[in-house]
Amino acid sequence: MFAVAVVGAVRGCTEWAGPWRERLTALRRHPEADVRDAALDEVMAYG
């Protein structure tokens, strides 16, 4: 859960830079359901 919070905090205002996008994608495949679900709740793009 901490990792998801860190990734979400440093992503910037509206866009995900390459390295952070990769980290979030990895967290979305995390074996722990709570971490995976929190990562899936993060929005990578608005449109």
Side-chain angles (χ1 to χ4, degrees):
M1 300 294 287
F2 178 73
V4 174
V6 170
V7 170
V10 297
R11 68 177 165 85
C13 294
T14 59
E15 294 183 19
W16 286 83
W20 296 111
R21 182 180 295 270
E22 292 169 13
R23 286 177 178 83
L24 182 61
T25 300
L27 289 168
R28 288 178 170 181
R29 294 187 299 260
H30 197 278
E32 292 289 328
D34 289 343
V35 173
R36 189 173 55 244
D37 291 346
L40 287 167
D41 286 342
E42 288 291 330
V43 177
M44 282 203 272
Y46 298 95

